[in-house]
Amino acid sequence: GAVVSQHPSRVICKSGTSVKIECRSLDFQATTMFWYRQFPKKSLMLMATSNEGSKATYEQGVEKDKFLINHASLTLSTLTVTSAHPEDSSFYICSADRRTSGTYEQYFGPGTRLTVT
Amino acid sequence: AQSVTQPDIHITVSEGASLELRCNYSYGATPYLFWYVQSPGQGLQLLLKYFSGDTLVQGIKGFEAEFKRSQSSFNLRKPSVHWSDAAEYFCAVGVGSGGGADGLTFGKGTHLIIQP
């Protein structure tokens, strides 16, 4: 099956610093990748859609200057949390869109636990 | 905008018993429907999906789901659960076409507990 990896799996950073999270599709090319945020005991919330070679599309209420997304290749998208604050602590999950026979399916990474102290 | 409701936050089922997890969606047209399972420390794994055609969809691990347009539902079922099925289950809606994908809208999830 298709594999999506995320790195790091867990990161702790100090308030005010920036953190970069990588999302890679290991065995397929993904024109589109997605970034989600999952709060404890809550559902996944779509943050943004990352398109290879173009600007990301952010959902309403998500600060694009705070959550920088870069999709430089068909297998890599990065999310940078800039000037992180404790309220940014969360579980960040990426997914990659894979097309098969006229349908699509999102393959999810294992997630990155961000803790801002 | 679309939305997904999973009315049961927790469900406890005895091992070997049947299971049904409820999912209702709100969308103006027929959406693409998904069920995912999330185990601790694991990424979301797709159990099954509905795009079109037969409204009874078979998935992995013995799961199936039935799309009922009249009820805007896509309930997940399994005839006999195993202790390894204990996890968080998410229903999701996608509105992209085959030529383009949108991000998914998830329900809040149902936590499945298996009693021995």
Side-chain angles (χ1 to χ4, degrees), chain A residues 60-82:
Chain A
Q60 192 172 8
V62 177
E63 300 175 59
K64 62 180 181 181
D65 294 330
K66 179 163 195 61
F67 298 99
L68 300 179
I69 291 173
N70 183 275
H71 194 157
S73 78
L74 288 171
T75 59
L76 173 65
S77 175
T78 60
L79 169 68
T80 301
V81 183
T82 63

Side-chain angles (χ1 to χ4, degrees), chain B residues 30-111:
Chain B
T30 301
Y32 302 107
L33 297 161
F34 306 82
W35 273 99
Y36 286 89
V37 60
Q38 185 181 37
S39 300
Q42 310 264 338
L44 281 95
Q45 181 182 25
L46 179 69
L47 290 175
L48 44 78
K49 63 183 178 182
Y50 173 79
F51 273 59
S52 64
D54 193 347
T55 56
L56 184 62
V57 181
Q58 301 297 321
I60 62 171
K61 304 184 178 185
F63 286 94
E64 66 175 27
E66 186 171 11
F67 168 58
K68 292 186 177 180
R69 186 189 308 274
S70 61
Q71 298 176 20
S72 297
S73 69
F74 189 56
N75 294 348
L76 181 71
R77 301 193 293 253
K78 186 170 184 177
S80 176
V81 297
H82 186 261
W83 64 267
S84 60
D85 292 325
E88 193 80 23
Y89 289 80
F90 292 96
C91 180
V93 165
V95 295
S97 68
D102 290 346
L104 300 181
T105 299
F106 284 83
K108 292 187 183 298
T110 297
H111 185 64

Side-chain angles (χ1 to χ4, degrees), chain A residues 34 36 38 43 102 104-106, chain B residues 46 49 51 102-104 106-107:
Chain A
F34 303 91
Y36 296 84
Q38 186 178 30
S43 179
Y104 72 91
E105 185 172 322
Q106 290 187 28
Chain B
L46 179 69
K49 63 183 178 182
F51 273 59
D102 290 346
L104 300 181
F106 284 83

Side-chain angles (χ1 to χ4, degrees), chain A residues 42-64:
Chain A
K42 296 286 186 182
S43 179
L44 283 78
M45 181 193 75
L46 178 67
M47 297 175 66
T49 301
S50 171
N51 295 295
E52 188 266 339
S54 64
K55 290 184 179 180
T57 304
Y58 291 82
E59 296 299 302
Q60 192 172 8
V62 177
E63 300 175 59
K64 62 180 181 181

Side-chain angles (χ1 to χ4, degrees), chain B residues 15-34:
Chain B
E15 189 170 15
S18 63
L19 170 71
E20 182 170 36
L21 302 182
R22 295 183 291 166
C23 172
N24 292 94
Y25 69 89
S26 174
Y27 182 59
T30 301
Y32 302 107
L33 297 161
F34 306 82

